[in-house]
């Protein structure tokens, strides 16, 4: 079984068991504290807001639906069919469209680009959950989706998030309820070095237009009742001649 097959099956198992209700998954925070602040950072750098917007690794589509209220053509893409089942059930009006996609698979991103044309891409917290060998191919796939006019907003937990997650996982009471299924299905968050993401982007032929730090809000709470937020770093990048 390939690395990608193991990874896909882990996500299928996770999403088959995931609750349908909003906020039932660790990272499924309200768009007001996730996509909205990200969009405020992303939108000023869009060369063409009329391009399709691709929410890559969309999961159950919470952020996708937020974008669909603001852009003319929004596509939620994920490698898990079960995740897309959640997304479609939560979007009965079909505000967005949903596509099964493994953007790290050679040729898959090029095929979607041939259909959509250049696209803007939003990706939140996906690289650190990928197998290490899939990270550069995934960013290469993003570059293919962008084409010449697209822009990508990419946000990932920073190295400073590791002790936060480690402390939660090793709590005497066990990991919080919404974090436990991630570990149980073998998709525990991995560490991506802070300087690795810019290196992936540059290797894919992309130029970083803007970057910064921002807390990545979750739906889980610490034992003292405070909401768990993970330190994160974000980049906006594009193909610039």
């Amino acid at each position: 079984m390939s690395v990608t097959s193991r990874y896909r099956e882990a996500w299928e198992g996770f999403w088959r068991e995931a609750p349908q209700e909003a906020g039932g998954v660790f990272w499924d925070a309200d768009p007001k504290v996730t996509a909205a602040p990200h969009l405020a950072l992303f939108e000023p750098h869009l060369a063409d807001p009329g391009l399709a917007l691709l929410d890559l690794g969309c999961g159950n589509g919470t952020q996708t639906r937020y974008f669909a209220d603001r852009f003319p053509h929004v596509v939620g893409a994920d490698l898990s069919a079960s995740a897309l089942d959640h997304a479609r059930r939560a979007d009965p009006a079909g505000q967005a469209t949903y596509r099964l996609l493994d953007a790290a698979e050679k040729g898959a991103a090029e095929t979607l680009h041939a259909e959509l044309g250049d696209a803007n891409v939003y990706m939140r917290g996906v690289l650190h959950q990928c197998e290490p060998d899939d990270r550069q191919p995934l960013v290469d796939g993003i570059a293919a989706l962008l084409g010449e006019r697209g822009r990508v907003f990419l946000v990932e937990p920073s190295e400073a998030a590791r002790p936060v997650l480690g402390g939660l996982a090793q709590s005497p009471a066990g990991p919080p309820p919404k974090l436990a299924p991630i570990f149980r299905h073998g998709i525990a968050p991995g560490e991506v070095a802070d300087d690795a993401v810019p290196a992936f982007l540059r290797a894919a032929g992309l130029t970083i237009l803007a970057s910064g730090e921002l807390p990545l809000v979750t739906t889980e709470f610490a034992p003292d009742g405070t909401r768990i937020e993970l330190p994160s770093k974000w980049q906006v990048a594009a193909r610039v001649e």
Side-chain angles (χ1 to χ4, degrees), residues 5-6 10 43 53 55 59 62 87 104 152 155 158 165 185 189 200 210 220:
S5 294
R6 287 198 302 272
E43 206 162 20
L53 178 71
D55 181 9
T62 299
V152 59
V155 59
S158 66
L165 288 166
H185 286 283
F200 290 143
E220 191 58 277

Side-chain angles (χ1 to χ4, degrees), residues 149-180:
R149 295 178 297 152
R151 303 287 187 265
V152 59
F153 183 91
L154 190 157
V155 59
E156 290 292 327
S158 66
E159 291 177 27
R162 185 175 180 84
V164 177
L165 288 166
L168 293 169
Q170 295 164 16
S171 167
K178 294 177 187 176
L179 189 58

